[in-house]
Amino acid sequence: MTTAKDLFIIAMDPAPEHTVGQGDLSLALAGAELLDLLDAGTITVDGDLVVPGGSSVPDDRLLAEAAAGITRQPPHERIEDWLWRRGRDLAAAYQDALEEDGELTRKRSGLLPFGPKEVELVDTPARRRAVARRDEGDPVLASLASAVGLDGERSDDDEPPLGDETVTTVVATVHEAVMELEAVRQRRTIENTAFANVWRGP
């Protein structure tokens, strides 16, 4: 399992206090993939640039896809730009992958046989590992979960120490990207409200 899949699993867990937005989760998943690629030696980070490292190809299908998307020649991509590009619809891609692997299943909601289908986690070793990693307070997973609001109202002082400058840089960039996405949402809400008021008139 990868950090990205562990993050997706705990985001799908029935226990979180609120639902995670797909856009927020997609950005955090892209950050988790970067950390997985760093750990595998597939990339390095130079300042805020994602630089290709060794030639190893990850076994995980989605992580191999992420590795294939790394910009090989200068100018290399900034971490923030990677998050926005790779993160597009990434949560949906992880949902599809986990369904294919039998980690997620679909069930009908409500009493009607033709009602909408919802996905839920299957009790698998991978799910138990992800939940155990969360419960043990793994600092990387906890910091990524914090970025999408899976940890309640944790303050910056409560953030677990990551112990690595590069990991800290990636996680901090994820937090900034999620905040930027929220700012865009709020701006659109204000604009839409103003537009609706114009049409309603005095």
Side-chain angles (χ1 to χ4, degrees):
M1 290 296 288
T2 66
T3 298
K5 282 190 175 177
D6 286 348
L7 178 63
F8 186 88
I9 287 171
I10 66 170
M12 289 290 297
D13 193 87
E17 295 179 3
H18 69 275
T19 303
V20 179
Q22 280 223 346
D24 296 350
L25 183 56
S26 291
L27 288 169
L29 288 169
E33 286 185 337
L34 270 187
L35 296 176
D36 286 328
L37 294 174
L38 269 169
D39 191 52
T42 307
I43 64 162
T44 60
V45 170
D46 181 8
D48 68 343
L49 298 177
V50 179
V51 179
S55 58
S56 60
V57 178
D59 293 333
D60 181 83
R61 182 169 75 252
L62 282 169
L63 209 53
E65 182 183 290
I70 297 294
T71 303
R72 297 287 162 187
Q73 302 297 327
H76 297 298
E77 199 167 25
R78 294 168 61 238
I79 295 171
E80 180 182 6
D81 296 334
W82 158 270
L83 296 180
W84 289 105
R85 179 175 65 81
R86 175 63 183 164
R88 186 179 298 276
D89 298 325
L90 193 55
Y94 270 85
Q95 179 174 318
D96 290 344
L98 265 69
E99 282 190 66
E100 289 176 17
D101 294 343
E103 302 286 342
L104 287 175
T105 186
R106 288 185 176 268
K107 67 169 187 175
R108 294 209 179 270
S109 61
L111 300 175
L112 299 176
F114 48 82
K117 288 186 176 181
E118 296 178 349
V119 292
E120 64 176 13
L121 289 165
V122 177
D123 186 20
T124 62
R127 179 188 181 183
R128 291 192 288 273
R129 282 195 302 271
V131 171
R133 187 176 174 189
R134 177 195 64 193
D135 293 345
E136 290 164 4
D138 178 277
V140 172
L141 190 60
S143 294
L144 291 169
S146 171
V148 295
L150 286 174
D151 61 344
E153 298 298 322
R154 174 182 291 175
S155 69
D156 291 341
D157 293 338
D158 295 330
E159 285 292 326
L162 297 173
D164 183 281
E165 185 177 345
T166 301
V167 173
T168 301
T169 298
V170 173
V171 171
T173 308
V174 170
H175 278 261
E176 291 166 3
V178 170
M179 287 190 291
E180 184 179 339
L181 181 59
E182 178 58 27
V184 170
R185 287 196 198 102
Q186 292 179 3
R187 188 163 61 247
R188 284 179 179 168
T189 299
I190 292 169
E191 290 170 353
N192 290 340
T193 301
F195 185 74
N197 288 338
V198 168
W199 276 102
R200 260 197 302 270

